[in-house]
Amino acid sequence: GDLMKFHHIGIATKDLKSSLEFVQKNFEVLEVSEEIFDENQNATLQMIKTKDLNIELVSGKVVEKLIASKITYYHICYEVEDIYGKIEEFQKNGGAMLVSSVKPAILFDNRLVAFLMTPLGLVELLNAN
């Protein structure tokens, strides 16, 4: 029950449309979600499935400071079978701090997500079901 599977990278952007356009011109895009506003994250989100990578575009207040610092890389997301167990494990194994508690994610059919600040930067955990 210890699955930890790469799910997507989150990219901060000021302009979802131009970021999406860039991806569509330069990557093999399989699927694009609607733009979705998630109140829990205070962000507008859009998921782009490309042939070998899922890219979540994140726009809004939550990423303003990053964008102002010219940082676009925002988080990496892993799918896990037991989000609470994995959070505990991350914390136990040193240097991981919960920065956003477990909440449903609108973009992922209200599956539970949590964000942790780790030595690798921000990691999102997404419950497998």
Side-chain angles (χ1 to χ4, degrees), residues 6-29:
F6 171 76
H7 190 273
H8 67 262
I9 57 166
I11 298 295
T13 179
K14 217 196 312 235
D15 183 355
L16 288 173
K17 297 224 183 333
S18 62
S19 298
L20 173 60
E21 247 167 58
F22 175 82
V23 175
Q24 285 172 324
K25 283 178 182 153
N26 293 284
F27 294 76
E28 196 178 317
V29 172

Side-chain angles (χ1 to χ4, degrees), residues 15 44 54 63 115:
D15 183 355
T44 303
N54 296 333
V63 292
F115 286 88

Side-chain angles (χ1 to χ4, degrees), residues 31-74:
E31 205 182 306
V32 179
S33 81
E34 302 283 312
E35 287 181 19
I36 290 172
F37 180 73
D38 186 336
E39 273 178 27
N40 289 329
Q41 284 192 59
N42 193 14
T44 303
L45 309 169
Q46 188 164 37
M47 182 60 73
I48 309 169
K49 282 185 176 167
T50 74
K51 196 171 69 128
D52 52 6
L53 184 69
N54 296 333
I55 300 166
E56 179 187 38
L57 299 179
V58 183
S59 179
K61 248 202 166 3
V62 68
V63 292
E64 268 173 10
K65 282 196 180 76
L66 282 179
I67 290 164
S69 315
K70 304 227 183 314
I71 297 170
T72 54
Y73 178 82
Y74 179 39

Side-chain angles (χ1 to χ4, degrees), residues 53-112:
L53 184 69
N54 296 333
I55 300 166
E56 179 187 38
L57 299 179
V58 183
S59 179
K61 248 202 166 3
V62 68
V63 292
E64 268 173 10
K65 282 196 180 76
L66 282 179
I67 290 164
S69 315
K70 304 227 183 314
I71 297 170
T72 54
Y73 178 82
Y74 179 39
H75 66 260
I76 187 165
C77 177
Y78 288 95
E79 203 168 14
V80 296
E81 268 163 36
D82 168 18
I83 195 168
Y84 295 100
K86 188 54 82 177
I87 288 168
E88 232 168 86
E89 209 177 296
F90 264 45
Q91 291 171 325
K92 197 178 71 208
N93 293 334
M97 205 179 76
L98 198 60
V99 290
S100 172
S101 58
V102 179
K103 296 175 180 150
I106 296 172
L107 191 61
F108 307 120
D109 305 317
N110 287 317
R111 285 196 277 160
L112 297 177

